[in-house]
Amino acid sequence: MKIQRFSAVMGAGVLAAGTLALMAPAAHAAPTATAAPKGGCWNNGCTGKSPAAYCEGDARTVKSLRLGPAGGANAILQLRYSPSCEAAWARLSSASFDAANAKGGDAKVIRNSDGKKYTCRVPKGKSSCYTKMVGDSGVTSYAWGDYDTSVHYYRGRTGSY
C-alpha cells in the first residue's frame, strides 16, 4: 500500500510541475544581429554604421527641435530611433547651406552613458545630413545641432531618449 500511495503522490507532483512549467512565461532572448532588419545590426553592433543601410525601415523621430528664428525659416534637428535595431542617430534637415556662411549646419548624436558621439555637416549645395548610429539599448542619447543663417547663429539640443 505504501508504494502505491508514494507513486500516486509522485505522479501528482510530476503533473503539477509540468503544468507550472507550461504556465510559466517564456524567457525572451535579446535580438541578434541576424534578427535585425536587412540582416543588419543590433544595439552596439550598429555603432558607427549608417542608419540608411541598416535601420531606417522602422525608424521614428523620438525628439525634435527647431533651430532658427520664431516664425522664420528653421532647420529641424531630430533624434531618430530604430526599435528593431535599438540604435539612435541625429538628423538635421531644412538647413540650406548659405554661401555667406562659414559652414553648413551640424548635427551630433551623443550617448549619455559614455559620451560616444558622431557628427555630420550639411554639405555645400545640400540641406540635410544624418549621423552614424550609436547603440541605445538600456541607455539614452540626445541630438545636438547648430544652424547659421548668416545673420544669426542657432544651436540647441533635444531631450534624451
Side-chain angles (χ1 to χ4, degrees):
M1 260 338 228
K2 289 183 182 181
I3 294 175
Q4 288 176 344
R5 191 176 290 165
F6 179 78
S7 296
V9 170
M10 287 300 292
V14 169
L15 180 59
T19 302
L20 287 175
L22 291 173
M23 292 173 51
H28 295 286
T32 61
T34 56
K38 295 185 183 178
C41 59
W42 180 75
N43 189 21
N44 287 326
C46 296
T47 298
K49 294 185 177 179
S50 167
Y54 295 96
C55 303
E56 187 69 22
D58 69 342
R60 62 184 195 246
T61 299
V62 292
K63 301 286 181 177
S64 66
L65 175 70
R66 291 188 176 278
L67 300 173
N74 294 293
I76 301 168
L77 175 64
Q78 298 172 318
L79 179 62
R80 305 274 294 160
Y81 178 77
S82 165
S84 63
C85 291
E86 292 192 32
W89 62 95
R91 179 169 68 183
L92 185 64
S93 59
S94 301
S96 298
F97 187 91
D98 185 333
N101 297 345
K103 64 178 187 69
D106 290 318
K108 290 181 192 172
V109 62
I110 302 163
R111 187 168 49 205
N112 287 312
S113 61
D114 62 1
K116 181 71 177 171
K117 64 185 169 188
Y118 289 101
T119 303
C120 70
R121 176 169 286 170
V122 175
K124 189 173 185 174
K126 303 289 182 181
S127 62
S128 64
C129 70
Y130 59 88
T131 68
K132 293 179 181 179
M133 298 182 286
V134 292
D136 197 49
S137 179
V139 297
T140 60
S141 302
Y142 66 93
W144 180 95
D146 69 357
Y147 178 54
D148 185 352
T149 65
S150 73
V151 176
H152 295 342
Y153 175 78
Y154 299 93
R155 68 178 175 207
R157 64 166 275 180
T158 66
S160 295
Y161 181 87

